[in-house]
Amino acid sequence: MTAEAMSPLKIVPMVPKVVSPAPEAPEMATLAGQAETDREVEPAVRVRGLTVAYGSTPGIKSIDLDLPERSVTALIGPSGCGKSTFLRALNRMNELFQGVATAGEVLVRWDGQFQNIYAPGVDLVELRKRVGMVFQRPNPFPKSIFENVVYGPRHHGVSNRALLAEAAEEALHQAALWDEVKDKLNAPAAALSGGQQQRLCIARALAVRPDVILMDEPTASLDPISTGKIEDLLGKLSKDYTIVIVTHNLQQAARVSHKTAFFLNGELIEAAPTLQMMTNPRDRRTENYVTGRFG
Amino acid sequence: MSALNTGRTAVPTQTGVGAAVRTRLRGRRRDTGAIWRGLFFASAIFLVISIAAILVMVGRQAAALFTQVRPLAFLFGRVWAPEHGLYGALPFLVGSLAATGLALLIGVPLGLAGAIYLAKLATPRAQRVMRPAIELLAGIPSVVYGWVGLTALVPFIRRHSGHVTGFGLLAAGVVLAVMVLPTFISLAEDALRAVPQDIEHGSLALGTTRWQTIAHVLIPAAWPGIAAAGILSMARAIGETMAVQMVLGNSPVIPAGLIVPASTLTSEIVLEMGSTPQGSPANNALFAMGLLLLLISLGLIIAVRATRKEATAGVRQAH
């Protein structure tokens, strides 16, 4: 990464480049923020008054936020501010932890209309097919590369080998991993590098054909080159998917996201188009954070 | 002035005393360290010598048999009739393997279900009740298992099968299955708990049900540990003597069914060891059966070590 690229204020106005054929080039060519004005911004997910509490301490307090469809929304903020809790509330993964209570509404576009995923009787299996997730550390299953990718479709009832193979190839292409693994689909997933494993996990999420993909610091455990590949990938995926990404890295938020939401102490301080957040935030606390004065 | 003086003189004195104490401690620590190391070394040596002595003694007596009986005639001989010079151990070997296999057939599915329940489904309250119950199961002496088997299980089988006695492999298999459950459950539960939460959540996040996650991610990921639990249960079952001997009927023939009297390596040794004169071929044959058991156990231990190695290699690869 060049010194220039390190500055959040300089990366954003950079002119979009032709995507380099060699993704090893460390500069990040995606400039999601640029395209913001061209996009039809319609929410795929509306969050209203979302409060998540662990026991007596509220993790996040009464959050209202719209997640625009087919674009990348970045959640930023210091550690422990509630970004990940917010993210996991969007596919109800918080409920896997003991003693978590959730209030408020998360409205996900579901067969053409908004459905509150916290309404009684909501099918968690159906919800998680629509809202996929990529974790902070690559978490491939102890199975082959192929079996990892087709895990979702297989357990949602697809058993035809040809269909599964097709789904696997498509998802691996989308995750920009196909060329690296096409000759060793039956090799164990654990034999891949960390960056490849993370792209495999993205492919695995894509194979379910979700509408929304949640990513919890997906590059936190990766080297800069693998990080670059995943960031490039996010730019491409945002044409078809609604992506929400938690990141500690402001430069990453600037590079990949169209909209940025700033969390602090469990509250949403500000949410706006990324360009505006990085250059001209409304709230003083946001400004302090994006200029590196704290956090 | 005087206060300052005492202060000045006190400081060097204290350092002097402190240094002396420290030196003494250091010296003493070195001495006790050597003593302890020697003690531990002696214990280890004692252990190795005991094991070697058992192997040598059992091996020598077994070797004495093989000067009179061909090893193959012992291993694959179908007739055990020491009074006629026939020392075929096959009926006991078959009995041991069949009883153990039956025990695993009954015990492993039950134990796996119990381990999954305890590791993933049980509420903390249910766990607080179940855990001690399973530990208690492990603490019951084997003669009690045999006694219950003899007074409850054998008559039950007799009533419901129409066989004359009710003794046999079925009763032994059921009793052994209950006896290996605690070993199997606690080891399999540990293996299931050791699966990283990320993998489990990864599966749930893909829209799979809890059952799909357990069956297709959790169990495969824990498989080396579950296999090790199975092998250790097998080692426990094959070496069990008292309870088996009490419900098996003890007939030295290859069993023709599950509800006919049979015999195992262990039950035959315990039955005949008092009635065969030391050094007689029959007595030596019992030692050879002991050696056979020892070798089977050794093989199982090697198998467990191999699965452990595989498990740790898998984990290392995944991280």
Side-chain angles (χ1 to χ4, degrees), chain B residues 145-270:
Chain B
Y145 278 104
W147 187 238
V148 172
L150 184 65
T151 53
L153 185 62
V154 170
F156 178 84
I157 292 172
R158 180 169 57 225
R159 260 199 314 282
H160 290 88
S161 69
H163 282 79
V164 192
T165 63
F167 287 117
L169 289 172
L170 181 62
V174 171
V175 169
L176 280 177
V178 178
M179 291 181 76
V180 301
L181 271 181
T183 311
F184 185 84
I185 288 180
S186 55
L187 289 171
E189 190 198 341
D190 288 346
L192 288 167
R193 283 188 187 280
V195 175
Q197 195 181 49
D198 260 12
I199 292 184
E200 196 187 336
H201 285 187
S203 171
L204 291 169
L206 287 167
T208 58
T209 63
R210 189 138 90 163
W211 277 121
Q212 286 171 328
T213 298
I214 288 171
H216 299 287
V217 169
L218 217 53
I219 293 177
W223 192 250
I226 295 171
I231 296 168
L232 282 172
S233 305
M234 203 166 154
R236 168 122 169 72
I238 207 157
E240 176 52 42
T241 309
M242 188 44 96
V244 173
Q245 192 254 337
M246 289 168 80
V247 299
L248 203 50
N250 305 306
S251 166
V253 290
I254 293 177
L258 294 181
I259 318 179
V260 291
S263 201
T264 64
L265 293 169
T266 51
S267 64
E268 189 59 22
I269 292 172
V270 78

Side-chain angles (χ1 to χ4, degrees), chain A residues 91 93 96-97 125 128-129 131-133 135 137 139-143 151 155-156 190 204-205 208, chain B residues 124 197-209 212-213 216-217 220-221 314 317-319:
Chain A
N91 65 344
M93 290 294 279
L96 296 174
F97 301 99
V125 167
R128 289 173 187 158
K129 281 194 214 171
V131 184
M133 189 168 218
F135 293 69
R137 283 167 61 99
N139 57 346
F141 302 139
K143 295 172 184 284
Y151 184 82
H155 294 300
H156 300 144
R204 189 172 70 182
V208 181
Chain B
Q197 195 181 49
D198 260 12
I199 292 184
E200 196 187 336
H201 285 187
S203 171
L204 291 169
L206 287 167
T208 58
T209 63
Q212 286 171 328
T213 298
H216 299 287
V217 169
Q317 227 178 8
H319 287 98

Side-chain angles (χ1 to χ4, degrees), chain B residues 92-104 169 173 255 258:
Chain B
F92 312 120
L93 186 60
V94 169
S96 277
L97 294 179
T100 303
L102 200 62
L104 291 186
L169 289 172
L258 294 181

Side-chain angles (χ1 to χ4, degrees), chain A residues 220-239:
Chain A
S221 65
L222 303 183
D223 62 83
I225 290 171
S226 303
T227 300
K229 286 183 183 174
I230 292 202
E231 289 183 1
D232 282 346
L233 186 57
L234 286 175
K236 287 176 202 141
L237 292 176
S238 66
K239 291 180 180 66

Side-chain angles (χ1 to χ4, degrees), chain A residues 91-150:
Chain A
N91 65 344
R92 293 183 59 174
M93 290 294 279
N94 278 328
E95 285 156 51
L96 296 174
F97 301 99
Q98 295 262 320
V100 175
T102 308
E105 290 186 334
V106 175
L107 302 156
V108 172
R109 179 103 50 81
W110 191 313
D111 299 335
Q113 54 186 345
F114 283 104
Q115 160 80 50
N116 177 17
I117 64 169
Y118 284 96
V122 165
D123 183 351
L124 286 185
V125 167
E126 285 302 316
L127 167 66
R128 289 173 187 158
K129 281 194 214 171
R130 284 176 167 78
V131 184
M133 189 168 218
V134 175
F135 293 69
Q136 188 171 343
R137 283 167 61 99
N139 57 346
F141 302 139
K143 295 172 184 284
S144 69
I145 293 168
F146 180 81
E147 283 302 325
N148 264 277
V149 183
V150 302

